[in-house]
Amino acid sequence: MAKATAKPKKEISMEEALWKSADKLRGSVEPAEYKHVVLSLFFLKFASDKFEAQRQRIIKEGREKFIDNIAFYTKDNVFYLPEESRWSYIMQNAKQDDIALKIDTALYTIEKTNPALRGALPDNYYSRLHIDTAKLASLLDEINKINTDDKENDIIGRVYEYFLGKFALAEGKGKGEFYTPKSIVNLIAEMIEPYDGILYDPCCGSGGMFVQSIQFVEAHQGNKRKVSIYGQEYTNTTYKLAKMNLAIRGISANLGEMAANTFTNDQHKDLKADFIMANPPFNQKEWRADNELTDDPRWNGYEVPPTSNANYGWILNIVSKLSQNGVAGFLLANGALSDGGTELKIRKQLIENNLVEAIIILPRSMFYTTDISVTLWVLNKNKKARTVEQNGNIKKYRNRENEILFMDLRQMGSPFEKKYTELTDDDRKAITDVYHNWQQEGHEETYKNVPEFCFSASKEEVAEKGYTLVPSRYIEFINRDENIDFDTKMKALQSELKDLLIAEEQSKKDLLSVFKELGYEIKL
């Protein structure tokens, strides 16, 4: 019995273990490096736990002679790990002086043995860090306590998200590096429903959009093999992280030949995607030189986006990648809704070209690295009436070319980790029901404008307001000040102010008393 109760004591929450892991690294590496140091070790343990579970499954099935046959692992999306790549081997040697080299060798060997991981794992990374052997051994002990049996799928993203949250000030703010929270990714997936076809993310980060999208498909009895994934990422370490994140889930993806700038080195020039999900860097400055990309085919028929802000560069890149029936859901800072100058000209044309389907303001404090409210844009290349079979269901879409749906979600969401907000399952269902009801035939029965929540505006109404896409310019808001009882309100304020003045007077007396006791009486 003692042995049975020992395991739960050993297994601590992932967040607790990660915090203790970070503690072990203090003074050895910069905070911005923590996630990279921990993630590869975490990956080794995760991959090894899956390997050992598969190994036991093979033995249980009476196929011991195949326990070192790679095919018996890869058929179930499990990586085969040679002896020197297994977590048990790493832990047996954790206190050896050459443990950093052994970790690098383990990562090199597992990548060499599994083609899906080619280019995903760090090369000779731990040897170059020169972390004290005792600290590295202690770090391995903490990671060893993590239970990797996580059913949420994006476990690598969860670790990445944790470090962004803990060290946002050190690395995230001002750089536009945002991990997209799961509730937002789920909302986008539930709205655009990427059941089959090509799914693209031009700034895929750690690959969380892809992982959660595939989870969405599987949760709705779809077939993930019908989804082809294409992505691109600028930062090399994050590019490797994305490859690792997808490979460990058995998700095939084309992330391009290398980490590269989507604007200056497009890895998917001829791609036409059925679905696009993205969270581009907000308000990216100096994203191109004045004389650079001026005749890029992605701006075809539109003004060239200004060098001062990449928001409309991202929008036009997304538009250029949509197939004839393609749908995109992506996030932008709220300023993009009403920017003037060149952005206004582009926005006007997007509206006149019937591409803008929905504009949705999200609640504040949903991101770890910024507390601002941001906008979810939904673009649709085909807003005409049509009938579509989708994941076994027949949907009859009405013509929406003359309409744009505006939604304001700032009164929705629930507290998350004290200072953050997330959209609950019920929130997302309410939002997606409104959106899908508005899209389809018979919407007169199922959709209606709701004050402070949603409004369906005609193109003419949008034109009259100067082509602004700020939802509050269309959604009706109730003036609650008209219903305030002035006398009651003033009496409440009077009572509050009295309490504050009494407290202030008491604090003043206490302070004067302390100084008097110290022999430094203050006479007023």
Side-chain angles (χ1 to χ4, degrees):
M1 292 297 293
K3 190 174 182 181
T5 56
K7 190 175 181 182
K9 287 182 180 178
K10 182 181 178 184
E11 292 175 356
I12 61 177
S13 75
M14 183 185 295
E15 284 71 21
E16 186 182 352
L18 291 173
W19 178 249
K20 289 185 176 181
S21 300
D23 259 349
K24 307 300 179 187
L25 295 171
R26 294 187 191 282
S28 300
V29 295
E30 291 297 314
E33 282 291 304
Y34 288 177
K35 68 176 182 290
H36 300 301
V37 177
V38 173
L39 272 166
S40 293
L41 295 177
F42 181 80
F43 166 78
L44 269 182
K45 183 175 191 304
F46 185 90
S48 193
D49 287 352
K50 288 189 73 176
F51 167 80
E52 294 296 348
Q54 183 75 351
R55 189 178 178 87
Q56 291 304 312
R57 198 174 296 119
I58 293 170
I59 293 172
K60 189 176 180 179
E61 291 172 355
R63 301 181 178 184
E64 289 91 340
K65 64 180 180 179
F66 298 111
I67 59 172
D68 288 315
N69 187 316
I70 295 176
F72 275 72
Y73 294 86
T74 56
K75 73 181 180 66
D76 292 321
N77 295 319
V78 175
F79 297 123
Y80 177 80
L81 273 60
E83 177 73 27
E84 64 270 30
S85 293
R86 296 171 194 171
W87 186 253
S88 56
Y89 177 82
I90 295 297
M91 291 307 299
Q92 287 166 12
N93 292 276
K95 293 179 171 57
Q96 299 297 318
D97 290 340
D98 65 344
I99 184 58
L101 177 60
K102 281 184 165 61
I103 293 169
D104 284 332
T105 301
L107 292 168
Y108 170 79
T109 305
I110 190 174
E111 183 174 316
K112 186 178 178 182
T113 308
N114 298 275
L117 286 169
R118 189 165 294 130
L121 303 178
D123 180 28
N124 199 33
Y125 180 59
Y126 293 87
S127 299
R128 286 187 279 113
L129 287 173
H130 302 296
I131 300 174
D132 178 75
T133 299
K135 279 196 171 187
L136 191 50
S138 189
L139 170 61
L140 290 168
D141 281 339
E142 293 302 333
I143 292 174
N144 193 46
K145 297 172 185 176
I146 300 176
N147 177 6
T148 61
D149 187 21
D150 190 315
K151 304 302 183 186
E152 293 184 354
N153 279 338
D154 189 11
I155 197 165
I156 297 293
R158 184 176 161 195
V159 178
Y160 186 74
E161 178 181 27
Y162 174 83
F163 281 112
L164 277 185
K166 282 294 182 185
F167 305 105
L169 289 175
E171 59 174 304
K173 284 190 175 176
K175 295 184 180 181
E177 183 179 4
F178 302 120
Y179 174 92
T180 314
K182 181 182 176 183
S183 71
I184 296 179
V185 179
N186 285 345
L187 175 63
I188 298 174
E190 288 159 9
M191 290 185 75
I192 71 174
E193 300 179 310
Y195 286 116
D196 59 74
I198 293 174
L199 174 62
Y200 170 63
D201 184 344
C203 41
C204 67
S206 63
M209 288 277 194
F210 298 138
V211 174
Q212 297 301 342
S213 296
I214 293 299
Q215 185 185 22
F216 165 80
V217 170
E218 292 179 329
H220 291 78
Q221 290 73 52
N223 184 351
K224 72 177 184 179
R225 296 184 186 278
K226 291 184 177 181
V227 182
S228 300
I229 289 175
Y230 291 80
Q232 183 159 346
E233 171 54 35
Y234 176 68
T235 307
N236 190 51
T237 52
T238 312
Y239 171 80
K240 287 175 176 284
L241 184 63
K243 294 195 75 171
M244 181 198 306
N245 200 9
L246 295 172
I248 206 168
R249 295 296 164 199
I251 299 173
S252 298
N254 181 343
L255 303 185
E257 293 297 317
M258 65 189 82
N261 185 314
T262 301
F263 293 118
T264 58
N265 188 4
D266 186 0
Q267 298 284 291
H268 307 292
K269 288 183 178 178
D270 300 320
L271 181 70
K272 292 297 179 184
D274 302 297
F275 305 97
I276 298 178
M277 299 174 65
N279 179 16
F282 297 161
N283 301 319
Q284 194 177 354
K285 311 298 181 188
E286 299 176 357
W287 59 284
R288 66 176 181 87
D290 287 335
N291 60 350
E292 189 179 36
L293 300 175
T294 55
D295 58 352
D296 193 285
R298 286 173 287 188
W299 325 144
N300 184 32
Y302 293 88
E303 297 276 333
V304 180
T307 58
S308 58
N309 193 315
N311 287 342
Y312 277 78
W314 286 111
I315 292 174
L316 292 184
N317 176 75
I318 287 168
V319 169
S320 73
K321 300 293 186 186
L322 285 173
S323 66
Q324 63 180 0
N325 294 317
V327 185
F330 56 91
L331 303 172
L332 285 178
N334 289 349
L337 299 171
S338 57
D339 284 335
T342 302
E343 285 101 331
L344 172 57
K345 292 179 181 177
I346 298 172
R347 187 167 64 250
K348 176 181 177 181
Q349 199 164 348
L350 290 169
I351 294 166
E352 292 297 342
N353 288 347
N354 301 318
L355 286 167
V356 182
E357 173 140 89
I359 298 292
I360 301 159
I361 295 286
L362 298 177
R364 293 180 64 112
S365 302
M366 294 198 74
F367 291 86
Y368 281 107
T369 45
T370 180
D371 66 350
I372 63 172
S373 169
V374 303
T375 310
L376 167 58
W377 293 55
V378 180
L379 302 185
N380 196 329
K381 203 73 178 288
N382 185 356
K383 293 166 67 178
K384 289 182 167 64
R386 60 194 180 104
T387 300
V388 176
E389 181 180 351
Q390 194 174 60
N391 199 35
N393 297 315
I394 300 297
K395 291 198 172 185
K396 293 185 177 182
Y397 292 99
R398 66 186 182 86
N399 191 312
R400 305 158 329 271
E401 289 190 311
N402 191 47
E403 297 173 62
I404 298 173
L405 177 65
F406 291 94
M407 300 184 74
D408 190 321
L409 312 184
R410 286 177 294 181
Q411 295 187 46
M412 301 182 79
S414 298
F416 173 64
E417 292 184 2
K418 295 182 180 178
K419 60 180 180 178
Y420 302 111
T421 303
E422 69 173 356
L423 294 170
T424 65
D425 292 347
D426 288 342
D427 289 334
R428 296 198 312 276
K429 185 178 187 308
I431 297 160
T432 53
D433 281 352
V434 167
Y435 172 65
H436 292 139
N437 288 340
W438 173 83
Q439 284 184 311
Q440 294 174 53
E441 284 184 7
H443 76 292
E444 299 89 353
E445 306 265 333
T446 58
Y447 170 84
K448 65 177 180 178
N449 295 328
V450 178
E452 301 186 335
F453 181 43
C454 62
F455 186 85
S456 180
S458 67
K459 275 200 304 186
E460 289 74 16
E461 288 176 289
V462 176
E464 286 172 7
K465 294 185 185 296
Y467 293 95
T468 178
L469 290 176
V470 177
S472 60
R473 296 292 303 277
Y474 305 93
I475 298 173
E476 178 188 352
F477 281 81
I478 300 168
N479 184 2
R480 291 181 171 80
D481 291 342
E482 294 176 355
N483 302 317
I484 292 175
D485 185 321
F486 183 78
D487 185 57
T488 302
K489 187 70 175 176
M490 287 304 295
K491 284 181 178 177
L493 289 172
Q494 180 186 38
S495 176
E496 289 175 18
L497 186 57
K498 179 182 177 181
D499 291 341
L500 285 172
L501 290 173
I502 291 172
E504 181 185 13
E505 188 63 31
Q506 185 59 49
S507 296
K508 179 180 172 182
K509 288 178 181 178
D510 292 343
L511 185 62
L512 290 173
S513 177
V514 169
F515 269 80
K516 184 177 181 179
E517 289 175 8
L518 293 172
Y520 296 92
E521 183 178 2
I522 299 173
K523 294 184 178 181
L524 300 176

